[in-house]
Structures are given as structure tokens and as C-alpha cells.
Coordinates of all heavy atoms in Angstrom, one line a residue:
R1 N 23.0 25.7 -9.5 CA 22.8 25.3 -8.1 C 22.1 24.0 -8.1 O 21.1 23.8 -8.8 CB 21.9 26.4 -7.4 CG 21.7 26.0 -5.9 CD 20.4 26.6 -5.3 NE 20.4 28.0 -5.4 CZ 19.3 28.7 -5.0 NH1 18.3 28.1 -4.5 NH2 19.3 30.0 -5.1
T2 N 22.6 23.1 -7.4 CA 22.0 21.7 -7.3 C 21.1 21.5 -6.1 O 20.3 20.6 -6.1 CB 23.1 20.6 -7.3 OG1 24.0 20.8 -6.2 CG2 23.9 20.8 -8.6
A3 N 21.4 22.3 -5.0 CA 20.6 22.1 -3.8 C 20.9 23.3 -2.9 O 21.8 24.0 -3.0 CB 21.0 20.8 -3.1
A4 N 19.9 23.5 -1.9 CA 20.1 24.4 -0.8 C 19.7 23.7 0.4 O 18.7 23.0 0.5 CB 19.3 25.7 -1.1
L5 N 20.4 23.9 1.5 CA 20.2 23.3 2.8 C 20.0 24.3 3.9 O 20.9 25.2 4.1 CB 21.3 22.3 3.1 CG 21.2 21.5 4.4 CD1 20.1 20.5 4.3 CD2 22.6 20.9 4.7
E6 N 18.9 24.2 4.6 CA 18.7 25.1 5.7 C 19.7 24.7 6.8 O 19.8 23.6 7.2 CB 17.3 25.0 6.2 CG 16.2 25.5 5.3 CD 16.2 27.1 5.2 OE1 16.5 27.7 6.3 OE2 15.8 27.6 4.2
V7 N 20.3 25.7 7.4 CA 21.3 25.5 8.5 C 20.7 26.2 9.7 O 20.4 27.4 9.7 CB 22.7 26.1 8.2 CG1 23.6 25.9 9.3 CG2 23.2 25.5 6.9
E8 N 20.6 25.4 10.8 CA 20.0 26.0 12.0 C 20.9 27.1 12.6 O 22.2 27.0 12.6 CB 19.9 24.9 13.1 CG 19.3 25.3 14.4 CD 19.2 24.2 15.4 OE1 19.8 23.1 15.2 OE2 18.5 24.5 16.5
G9 N 20.3 28.2 13.0 CA 21.0 29.2 13.6 C 21.7 30.2 12.6 O 21.1 30.4 11.5
W10 N 22.8 30.7 13.0 CA 23.5 31.7 12.2 C 24.7 31.0 11.6 O 25.8 30.9 12.2 CB 24.1 32.7 13.2 CG 23.8 34.1 12.8 CD1 24.4 34.9 11.9 CD2 22.8 34.9 13.4 NE1 23.8 36.1 11.9 CE2 22.8 36.1 12.8 CE3 21.8 34.7 14.3 CZ2 21.9 37.2 13.1 CZ3 20.9 35.7 14.6 CH2 21.0 36.9 14.0
P11 N 24.7 30.6 10.3 CA 25.9 30.0 9.7 C 27.1 31.0 9.8 O 27.0 32.2 9.5 CB 25.4 29.8 8.3 CG 23.9 29.7 8.4 CD 23.5 30.6 9.4
R12 N 28.2 30.4 10.1 CA 29.4 31.2 10.3 C 30.5 30.9 9.2 O 30.7 31.6 8.2 CB 30.0 31.0 11.7 CG 29.1 31.5 12.8 CD 29.0 33.1 12.8 NE 30.4 33.6 12.7 CZ 31.2 33.8 13.8 NH1 30.8 33.3 14.9 NH2 32.4 34.3 13.6
E13 N 31.1 29.8 9.4 CA 32.1 29.3 8.4 C 32.1 27.8 8.3 O 31.4 27.1 9.1 CB 33.5 29.8 8.8 CG 33.7 31.3 8.8 CD 35.1 31.7 9.1 OE1 35.8 31.0 9.8 OE2 35.6 32.7 8.6
M14 N 32.8 27.2 7.3 CA 32.8 25.8 7.1 C 34.1 25.3 6.6 O 34.9 26.1 6.0 CB 31.7 25.4 6.2 CG 31.7 26.1 4.8 SD 30.3 25.6 3.8 CE 30.4 26.9 2.5
L15 N 34.3 24.0 6.7 CA 35.5 23.4 6.1 C 35.0 22.3 5.2 O 34.1 21.5 5.5 CB 36.4 22.8 7.2 CG 37.2 23.7 8.0 CD1 37.6 23.1 9.4 CD2 38.4 24.2 7.3
L16 N 35.7 22.1 4.0 CA 35.4 21.1 3.1 C 36.5 20.1 3.1 O 37.7 20.4 2.9 CB 35.2 21.6 1.7 CG 35.1 20.6 0.5 CD1 33.9 19.8 0.7 CD2 35.2 21.3 -0.8
D17 N 36.2 18.8 3.3 CA 37.1 17.7 3.1 C 36.7 17.0 1.8 O 35.8 16.1 1.9 CB 37.1 16.8 4.3 CG 38.2 15.7 4.3 OD1 38.7 15.4 3.1 OD2 38.5 15.1 5.3
K18 N 37.3 17.3 0.7 CA 36.9 16.7 -0.6 C 37.2 15.2 -0.7 O 36.5 14.5 -1.4 CB 37.5 17.5 -1.7 CG 39.0 17.4 -1.8 CD 39.5 18.3 -3.0 CE 41.0 18.3 -3.2 NZ 41.4 19.1 -4.3
E19 N 38.2 14.8 0.0 CA 38.6 13.3 0.0 C 37.5 12.5 0.6 O 37.2 11.4 0.2 CB 39.9 13.1 0.7 CG 41.1 13.8 0.1 CD 41.3 13.5 -1.4 OE1 41.1 12.3 -1.7 OE2 41.7 14.4 -2.2
R20 N 36.9 13.0 1.7 CA 35.9 12.3 2.4 C 34.5 12.8 2.1 O 33.5 12.4 2.7 CB 36.2 12.4 3.9 CG 37.5 11.8 4.3 CD 38.0 12.2 5.6 NE 39.3 11.6 6.0 CZ 40.5 12.1 5.5 NH1 40.5 13.2 4.7 NH2 41.6 11.6 5.8
N21 N 34.3 13.8 1.2 CA 33.1 14.4 0.8 C 32.3 14.8 2.1 O 31.1 14.5 2.2 CB 32.2 13.4 0.0 CG 32.6 13.5 -1.5 OD1 32.6 14.5 -2.0 ND2 32.8 12.3 -2.1
R22 N 32.9 15.6 2.9 CA 32.3 16.1 4.1 C 32.4 17.6 4.2 O 33.5 18.2 3.9 CB 32.9 15.5 5.4 CG 32.6 14.0 5.6 CD 31.2 13.8 5.9 NE 30.9 12.4 6.3 CZ 30.5 11.4 5.4 NH1 30.4 11.7 4.1 NH2 30.3 10.2 5.8
L23 N 31.4 18.3 4.6 CA 31.4 19.7 4.9 C 31.2 19.8 6.4 O 30.2 19.2 7.0 CB 30.3 20.5 4.2 CG 30.6 21.2 2.9 CD1 29.3 21.9 2.4 CD2 31.7 22.2 3.0
V24 N 32.0 20.5 7.1 CA 31.8 20.8 8.5 C 31.4 22.3 8.7 O 32.2 23.2 8.4 CB 33.1 20.5 9.3 CG1 32.9 20.8 10.8 CG2 33.6 19.1 9.1
I25 N 30.2 22.5 9.1 CA 29.6 23.8 9.1 C 29.4 24.3 10.5 O 28.9 23.5 11.4 CB 28.2 23.8 8.4 CG1 28.3 23.3 6.9 CG2 27.6 25.2 8.4 CD1 27.0 23.1 6.3
T26 N 29.8 25.5 10.8 CA 29.6 26.1 12.1 C 28.5 27.1 12.1 O 28.4 27.9 11.1 CB 30.9 26.7 12.7 OG1 31.3 27.8 11.8 CG2 32.0 25.7 12.8
S27 N 27.7 27.2 13.1 CA 26.6 28.2 13.2 C 26.4 28.5 14.7 O 26.7 27.7 15.6 CB 25.3 27.7 12.5 OG 24.8 26.5 13.2
Q28 N 25.8 29.7 14.9 CA 25.5 30.1 16.3 C 24.0 29.9 16.5 O 23.1 30.3 15.7 CB 25.8 31.6 16.5 CG 27.3 31.8 16.5 CD 28.0 31.1 17.6 OE1 29.2 30.6 17.4 NE2 27.4 30.9 18.8
V29 N 23.6 29.3 17.6 CA 22.2 28.9 17.9 C 21.9 29.5 19.3 O 22.8 29.4 20.2 CB 22.0 27.4 17.9 CG1 20.6 27.0 18.3 CG2 22.3 26.8 16.5
Y30 N 20.8 30.1 19.4 CA 20.4 30.5 20.8 C 19.6 29.4 21.5 O 18.6 28.9 20.9 CB 19.5 31.8 20.7 CG 19.0 32.2 22.0 CD1 19.8 32.8 23.0 CD2 17.7 31.9 22.4 CE1 19.4 33.2 24.2 CE2 17.2 32.3 23.7 CZ 18.0 32.9 24.6 OH 17.6 33.3 25.8
E31 N 20.0 29.1 22.7 CA 19.3 28.1 23.5 C 19.2 28.7 24.9 O 20.1 29.3 25.5 CB 20.1 26.8 23.6 CG 20.1 26.1 22.2 CD 20.7 24.7 22.3 OE1 21.7 24.5 23.1 OE2 20.3 23.9 21.5
Q32 N 18.0 28.5 25.5 CA 17.8 29.1 26.9 C 18.6 28.2 27.9 O 18.5 27.0 27.9 CB 16.3 29.0 27.2 CG 15.9 29.6 28.5 CD 16.1 31.1 28.6 OE1 15.8 31.8 27.6 NE2 16.7 31.6 29.6
R33 N 19.4 29.0 28.7 CA 20.2 28.3 29.7 C 20.1 29.1 31.0 O 19.9 30.3 31.0 CB 21.6 28.2 29.3 CG 21.9 27.2 28.2 CD 23.4 26.8 28.2 NE 23.7 25.9 27.1 CZ 24.2 26.3 26.0 NH1 24.4 27.5 25.8 NH2 24.4 25.4 25.0
P34 N 20.4 28.5 32.1 CA 20.5 29.2 33.4 C 21.7 30.3 33.3 O 22.6 30.0 32.5 CB 20.8 28.2 34.4 CG 20.4 26.9 33.8 CD 20.6 27.0 32.4
G35 N 21.5 31.3 34.0 CA 22.6 32.3 34.0 C 22.5 33.3 32.9 O 21.7 33.1 32.0
K36 N 23.5 34.2 32.9 CA 23.5 35.3 31.9 C 24.9 35.4 31.4 O 25.8 35.8 32.1 CB 23.1 36.6 32.5 CG 21.6 36.6 33.1 CD 21.3 37.9 33.7 CE 22.0 38.2 35.0 NZ 21.5 39.3 35.7
P37 N 25.1 35.1 30.1 CA 26.5 35.2 29.6 C 26.8 36.7 29.4 O 25.9 37.5 29.2 CB 26.4 34.6 28.2 CG 25.0 34.6 27.8 CD 24.2 34.5 29.1
T38 N 28.1 37.1 29.6 CA 28.5 38.5 29.4 C 28.8 38.8 28.0 O 29.1 37.9 27.2 CB 29.7 38.8 30.3 OG1 30.8 38.0 29.8 CG2 29.5 38.4 31.7
L39 N 28.8 40.1 27.7 CA 29.2 40.6 26.4 C 30.6 41.0 26.3 O 31.1 41.4 25.3 CB 28.3 41.7 25.9 CG 26.8 41.4 25.6 CD1 26.1 42.6 25.2 CD2 26.8 40.3 24.5
T40 N 31.3 40.9 27.4 CA 32.7 41.4 27.5 C 33.6 40.3 27.9 O 33.2 39.3 28.5 CB 32.8 42.5 28.5 OG1 32.6 42.0 29.8 CG2 31.9 43.7 28.2
G41 N 34.9 40.4 27.5 CA 35.8 39.4 27.9 C 36.1 39.3 29.4 O 36.5 38.3 29.9
G42 N 35.9 40.4 30.1 CA 35.9 40.4 31.5 C 34.5 40.2 32.0 O 33.8 39.5 31.5
G43 N 34.2 40.8 33.1 CA 32.8 40.7 33.6 C 32.1 41.9 33.0 O 32.6 42.7 32.2
G44 N 30.8 42.1 33.3 CA 30.2 43.3 32.9 C 28.8 43.1 32.4 O 28.1 42.3 32.9

């Protein structure tokens, strides 16, 4: 292991572009916003 990097939120998945030496990392982050998101695809 050469390094470890803290990722904000909940790391999900990533893509490696080895030609450009880039990792694209996705994570879920909680941020306070107006309104209430639903847990269902419909309302609810």
C-alpha cells in the first residue's frame, strides 16, 4: 500500500482512466436542504 485517501461521505464506485492517470470517485454525502426527499420512487 502506497497511500490511503479519506473520501468524504459514503464511497460508492469509481472509474480509472489509466491514460490520463485519473480516478473518478463517487460518494454519497448528507447536506441539509429545504424539503424532505422521499424514500420511494413514487411519493410517500
Side-chain angles (χ1 to χ4, degrees):
R1 185 207 296 178
T2 60
L5 179 70
E6 293 285 331
V7 179
E8 182 183 7
W10 232 278
R12 295 291 310 282
E13 293 185 331
M14 58 185 167
L15 287 160
L16 171 65
D17 186 342
K18 63 182 180 181
E19 301 299 326
R20 298 162 182 82
N21 274 310
R22 292 290 189 269
L23 267 181
V24 181
I25 303 171
T26 61
S27 61
Q28 290 303 141
V29 177
Y30 175 75
E31 296 187 324
Q32 185 66 43
R33 288 202 184 96
K36 298 178 293 190
T38 63
L39 289 180
T40 66

